[in-house]
Amino acid sequence: MNDLHALRTPEGGALLDAVRGTDPAHELAVATRLRREHPAELVSAALGQARLRQRAVAKFGAEDAGRMFFTPNGVEQSTRASVAAYRARRFRDLGVTSVADLCCGIGGDAIALARAGIRVLAVDRDPLTAAVARANAEELGLADLIEVREADVTEVDTAGYDAVFVDPARRGGRGRIFDPEAYSPPLSWAVEAARRAPYAALKVAPGIPHEAVPDAAEAEWISDGGDVKEAVLWFGTAPGLVRATLLPGPHTLTGRGLPDPAVRPVGRFLYEPDGAVIRAHLVAEVAEEVGGGLLDATIAYVTADEPRPTPYATAYEITEHLPFNVKKLKALLRERQVGTLTVKKRGSAVEPEELRRKVLPKPHGTVAVTVFLTRVAGAPAMLLGRPAPGHTS
């Protein structure tokens, strides 16, 4: 708390500007120089904040990250700005004008909501975290729309708000928490809070079992740039609906209750569904879209004979289909003068890096190849190919 207050003084602000972008290898020299004119504690706090801001650029962008304040947990657990902005737009499109943001952390979601024109009550029980959220609202010129309250979220009355957003803590002293009832607060409490509001969104881990999703909720899995970021349980929208949303875009695929696709022989093209599609159990919808079937009943690779563009999967043109054999693969890569090898796997125990070292120890060629280690109708197989031009996500 004292560090935050000191960093927001004119002297602290000047120090933050002075250490912006400091290379970690040069920190000691920079600290030694600055301590001649500034308190050692303040110099250390400024350098620590500079490191956090550098880490936060990936989530918040350079402009916002360079103005905001962070805690180590705040950087780690905050929502990526693109995902928060997408969710804020969904709230706005529902007609929501006010949101109680429970477990607000450093304020990333509150900032996105406020920028969408939504009034926010941001609540966190940790004094430092709440103070950082308040500072961020002020630094970004959003204090008129964001009220930050230091309180236990279970004791906050949300009756005056159009919607509730809950982002429970999913990390503990031993790392990630996988049991939704071990979240802080537990998922069951968050669900009850959601049921009392006209609209609600609960952020949960993308690995949440489908059977843990309440019947009254819509479940949405979100990826950004191909990486699955989170799942969201929506209340007041479409109970029972399942969707996968891919950013940027957004591109949203909704479930239609299709049966599992049939297993079929390897076709000319292989489609690798986005992780959000797989988590949402919507591979059947992708298979229908591209006119394909599965390579194996238990693996989320789709194969088809025709190239059909889809944002929900990356397409590869398959050139070889072989039984798994390391020596044969090594010989084939040498024969084809392969210099760049991408190894993907699903349903194989082989480690991609280990295989790459064995089959391409000294790359000399210029050809790029992708090899898929998987099963085809239950048998270990290697599929070699390349991204299909104009048909990647």
Side-chain angles (χ1 to χ4, degrees):
M1 290 287 283
N2 291 337
D3 285 349
L4 178 63
H5 176 75
L7 288 173
R8 300 192 73 202
T9 64
E11 182 181 14
L15 266 177
L16 285 171
D17 289 339
V19 301
R20 186 186 303 272
T22 297
D23 187 325
H26 301 150
E27 272 193 10
L28 182 57
V30 170
T32 301
R33 174 173 54 82
L34 291 174
R35 282 170 181 162
R36 295 175 189 147
E37 299 180 7
H38 302 279
E41 296 83 358
L42 187 57
V43 172
S44 295
L47 284 167
Q49 195 59 226
R51 286 194 297 272
L52 294 174
R53 285 178 168 182
Q54 288 173 15
R55 286 172 54 195
V57 168
K59 284 189 174 183
F60 291 90
E63 184 175 348
D64 279 356
R67 299 164 62 192
M68 294 171 66
F69 292 91
F70 299 95
T71 64
N73 284 342
V75 173
E76 183 71 27
Q77 298 177 18
S78 57
T79 304
R80 182 179 289 263
S82 54
V83 178
Y86 162 74
R87 188 166 43 242
R89 289 194 299 271
R90 276 209 69 181
F91 271 125
R92 184 189 61 199
D93 292 346
L94 289 168
V96 168
T97 61
S98 61
V99 172
D101 177 3
L102 308 181
C103 311
C104 69
I106 61 167
D109 283 284
I111 289 166
L113 290 164
R115 283 176 168 167
I118 296 170
R119 179 172 58 86
V120 185
L121 170 64
V123 184
D124 203 285
R125 68 181 179 183
D126 179 68
L128 175 58
T129 303
V132 170
R134 188 175 295 109
N136 288 336
E138 293 170 357
E139 292 292 333
L140 298 180
L142 299 168
D144 288 348
L145 282 170
I146 301 174
E147 174 196 345
V148 179
R149 187 181 301 174
E150 178 193 328
D152 185 328
V153 297
T154 64
E155 299 174 357
V156 174
D157 181 8
T158 62
Y161 294 84
D162 297 338
V164 166
F165 173 64
V166 189
D167 181 5
R170 295 181 300 283
R171 284 184 178 272
R174 297 183 179 179
R176 292 183 185 276
I177 296 171
F178 297 98
D179 177 8
E181 282 309 294
Y183 292 172
S184 181
L187 180 60
S188 57
W189 178 88
V191 168
E192 287 308 308
R195 292 178 188 276
R196 292 193 296 269
Y199 296 103
L202 312 182
K203 178 179 171 180
V204 295
I208 185 172
H210 280 235
E211 55 269 22
V213 175
D215 292 340
E218 167 200 330
E220 179 177 32
W221 279 262
I222 302 174
S223 68
D224 188 16
D227 294 328
V228 183
K229 294 302 178 185
E230 64 183 55
V232 185
L233 306 182
W234 292 90
F235 291 78
T237 53
L241 182 71
V242 174
R243 67 166 75 198
T245 295
L246 283 55
L247 303 175
H251 302 285
T252 295
L253 181 67
T254 55
R256 300 193 298 281
L258 299 179
D260 291 341
V263 175
R264 52 149 291 170
V266 178
R268 183 181 170 191
F269 295 91
L270 180 147
Y271 290 86
E272 182 183 28
D274 183 272
V277 170
I278 296 171
R279 293 281 194 176
H281 297 178
L282 298 180
V283 173
E285 280 72 7
V286 168
E288 183 182 74
E289 189 167 301
V290 302
L294 297 180
L295 292 175
D296 184 275
T298 62
I299 296 174
Y301 280 145
V302 174
T303 185
D305 297 318
E306 301 293 333
R308 296 188 187 178
T310 173
Y312 304 113
T314 302
Y316 295 83
E317 188 172 7
I318 299 303
T319 55
E320 276 92 15
H321 166 207
L322 305 165
F324 178 75
N325 186 299
V326 174
K327 289 184 178 179
K328 193 163 188 176
L329 177 60
K330 185 175 182 179
L332 186 60
L333 297 178
R334 186 168 56 246
E335 176 189 325
R336 299 288 168 82
Q337 297 185 320
V338 172
T340 303
L341 179 65
T342 301
V343 181
K344 292 176 173 285
K345 72 163 191 170
R346 224 168 250 165
S348 170
V350 177
E351 289 300 324
E353 283 303 321
E354 181 182 347
L355 180 71
R356 189 181 290 107
R357 285 194 298 269
K358 287 181 178 179
V359 301
L360 204 66
K362 296 180 180 179
H364 294 299
T366 58
V367 177
V369 165
T370 299
V371 59
F372 294 88
L373 307 178
T374 186
R375 293 194 304 271
V376 173
M382 307 182 299
L383 304 181
L384 277 66
R386 54 181 175 262
H391 298 282
T392 56
S393 61

